Amino acid sequence: MQIRYFAWVREKVGIEEETLDLPGNITTVADLIAYLKTVDDNHAAAFEEEDAIRVALDQMHVEADAELGAAREVAFFPPMTGG
């Protein structure tokens, strides 16, 4: 699965994107976030305040309880503000 990081999430993780082969027990966005927290200290820091992170599956905004299903891309980013 292609994982993309934007804004301060990218800064904390230290990379813009990565491709991961996820364990079979990772079925929801929440599962993925819990898994990413275990990857390394950078990922743990990026997802420390997971309520402040927004998620998109294949460029569609979803909630943490969303099923990953056949999604090919997950994007994590902070809330956006308009102006």
Side-chain angles (χ1 to χ4, degrees):
M1 177 171 282
Q2 186 74 23
I3 314 289
R4 301 188 71 200
Y5 306 103
F6 294 91
W8 60 259
V9 181
R10 177 183 61 226
E11 291 171 12
K12 288 184 178 188
V13 172
I15 55 176
E16 186 173 317
E17 62 185 57
E18 60 187 324
T19 302
L20 298 175
D21 290 322
L22 300 176
N25 63 330
I26 309 294
T27 61
T28 67
V29 169
D31 294 341
L32 176 57
I33 290 171
Y35 173 76
L36 289 171
K37 287 180 173 182
T38 70
V39 170
D40 60 27
D41 290 342
N42 291 345
H43 284 77
F47 291 97
E48 186 173 62
E49 295 180 45
E50 61 187 83
D51 290 342
I53 296 176
R54 301 295 175 254
V55 184
L57 294 179
D58 291 336
Q59 300 181 5
M60 297 287 294
H61 290 248
V62 297
E63 299 296 325
D65 62 350
E67 295 285 329
L68 295 174
R72 296 186 316 181
E73 177 188 87
V74 180
F76 293 102
F77 48 92
M80 297 181 199
T81 59

